[in-house]
Amino acid sequence: MRTGSGGWAADLMSADDEQRASAVIRRGLDLDAWIRPLCALGVAGVAAYASYVHQREFARRGGADAVSASL
């Protein structure tokens, strides 16, 4: 049975569109989607800095000057 608004298919499509829109809103507000990448970035930053300090000290012990060791 068809309604004046385009029939049952149009009604289903609008309900599907509403579900997609609410999913996008939920995804945008999902803290887990933001916290995990930020924590991973923090851990990667700490690891990169620790590696830099270690390599700088290794170069200094190997006889490099301060500027070369920092690079």
Side-chain angles (χ1 to χ4, degrees), residues 29-62:
L29 298 176
D30 187 15
L31 290 179
D32 190 45
W34 289 96
I35 291 174
R36 285 184 185 199
L38 289 176
C39 288
L41 184 62
V43 168
V46 169
Y49 180 72
S51 176
Y52 167 75
V53 169
H54 174 74
Q55 291 297 328
R56 185 181 61 198
E57 291 301 318
F58 186 75
R60 290 294 306 237
R61 286 189 208 132

